Amino acid sequence: MRQRSLIAITAALAAGALTLTACGSRDDDGGSDSGNGGGGGTTVVIGVDAPLTGDLSALGLGIKNSVDLAAKTANKEKFVDGVTFKIDALDDQGQPSVGQQNATKLVADDEVLGVVGPLNSSVGESMQKVFDTAKLVEVSPANTNPSLTQGVDWQTKKVRPYKSYFRTATTDAIQGPFAAQYVYNDSKKRKVFVIDDKKTYGAGLAKTFTEEFKKLGGKVVGTEHINPDTKDFNAVATKVKNSGADVVYYGGEYPQAGPLSKQIKAAGAKIPLVGGDGIYSADFIKLAGASGTGDLATSVGAPVEELPSAKEFVANYKAEGYKEAYEAYGGYSYDSAWAIIEAVKKVVEGNDGKLPGDARAKVVDAMQDVSFDGVTGKVSFDEFGDATNKQLTVYAVENGAWGSVKSGTLTD
């Protein structure tokens, strides 16, 4: 969604002075030459890990394309003189084990100085240690589980597990309660049936929603865990109908949420399904059909189409002719890639125009102090590696499309 506002290019580093320790360019299936505006010299690869095939590929391809656009923009602008940025995009299929293998592969390529991804928090968990051991920076545009940055006991004691991990998306410690406040205060719903897919993201989001909803005075009239590998939710739909709930909250992603919404309505419960950013996709609407009208989703940030800072990103994305939409995380993916580009620039400028032998570790250190005006707004990171931008938006399905109904931040 948001692009690095094309930041004024600082004084160009002396041409040819860049003796960067990188090898040749990549030509793998997932790679991209990302344009040739960098002036030759050194190649720096930005890895991408996302589900490029399978049920979640709509989101994953939007991530990949947006990173590619950031690399092309940096090259055209010669943002780091003498450096050409390329991407190497790997498909994790939404599976933690595959993500871990991809992390190992990216670490083995010493051209890779940063990685954007993954989409899924469970995949992120599997990759963190691999990247941290190699001192390779990882910036996720989509992981929202709080434990990734604040430790498993984040609700009582926040401890950052990995110095190399950052994210541009806000966390479910904010997203779940934000949704609960909207459902209770704005939609005036009082009885919720909570469902999750048992995965890291979905279960964590459902938990933070539930805690806030109950604190506000709402009642949880039923809970259920579903198997994300099935599409038959008739049994749980019947439970929802019999519970008397006036709203359903689902912690999970759109491939299951769409059919679940459809089957709940078919069972006779004409009530909205509410979810997080994992269901905020055009594919949810396709899967839910007409019965999805009135369903709600929260997603990180403000609507990209409404952000002045994102206009250039939207126009450039369209001009590049990508076949797939940038989807929910496009702007955050662009900003994640641009954060890596900014960190590389800091390292080069701080080393007399050369990339040092310990470039990866230096990029990790530089990332902590990165700050710029991005597609999604101000991009910077707190002491945990979390985004300082905490804004969220509630979207509703109306007339076959998602429309924003409220943007803001969590109320204490």
Side-chain angles (χ1 to χ4, degrees), residues 3-18:
Q3 170 207 358
R4 259 29 26 286
S5 55
L6 292 172
I7 309 158
I9 304 166
T10 58
L13 302 171
L18 221 45

Side-chain angles (χ1 to χ4, degrees), residues 175-176 178-180 182-183 187 189 192-195 205 209 246-252 257 260-261 264-265 271-277 279 284 294-298 394-395 402:
Q175 183 174 202
F178 181 77
Y182 182 85
V183 170
S187 293
K189 304 298 185 184
V192 65
F193 196 106
V194 180
I195 305 168
L205 185 58
F209 171 89
D246 53 14
V247 63
V248 171
Y249 189 80
Y250 177 65
L260 178 62
S261 172
I264 286 172
K265 271 77 163 185
I271 58 177
L273 180 142
V274 183
D277 54 320
I279 80 167
F284 169 84
D295 286 348
L296 302 167
T298 52
V394 178
Y395 297 88
W402 290 108

Side-chain angles (χ1 to χ4, degrees), residues 81-106:
D81 193 61
V83 174
T84 297
F85 290 95
K86 298 179 183 291
I87 74 165
D88 186 7
L90 303 182
D91 180 12
D92 63 31
Q93 302 166 38
Q95 300 298 320
S97 60
V98 180
Q100 190 172 68
Q101 293 166 16
N102 289 348
T104 300
K105 181 178 179 183
L106 291 167

Side-chain angles (χ1 to χ4, degrees), residues 260-316:
L260 178 62
S261 172
K262 191 177 212 176
Q263 290 169 42
I264 286 172
K265 271 77 163 185
K270 308 297 185 183
I271 58 177
L273 180 142
V274 183
D277 54 320
I279 80 167
Y280 178 54
S281 168
D283 281 23
F284 169 84
I285 298 172
K286 294 175 187 174
L287 292 166
S291 61
T293 298
D295 286 348
L296 302 167
T298 52
S299 193
V300 292
V304 64
E305 295 81 5
E306 298 175 15
L307 287 171
S309 59
K311 288 181 179 177
E312 191 168 32
F313 166 76
V314 173
N316 290 345

Side-chain angles (χ1 to χ4, degrees), residues 27-85:
D27 247 333
D28 296 345
D29 291 343
S32 166
D33 63 7
S34 301
N36 295 311
T42 298
T43 295
V44 169
V45 173
I46 299 174
V48 182
D49 178 87
L52 305 179
T53 58
D55 286 347
L56 295 169
S57 61
L59 297 178
L61 290 166
I63 290 172
K64 174 191 170 184
N65 294 344
S66 299
V67 176
D68 184 64
L69 179 60
K72 285 179 175 176
T73 301
N75 291 340
K76 287 175 185 175
E77 296 293 320
K78 298 183 180 173
F79 192 72
V80 183
D81 193 61
V83 174
T84 297
F85 290 95

Side-chain angles (χ1 to χ4, degrees), residues 192-196 206 210 214 220-226 236 239-240 243 249:
V192 65
F193 196 106
V194 180
I195 305 168
D196 70 66
T210 298
K214 288 165 72 174
V220 177
V221 296
T223 59
E224 191 64 65
H225 307 288
I226 64 159
V236 67
K239 290 182 181 179
V240 171
S243 72
Y249 189 80

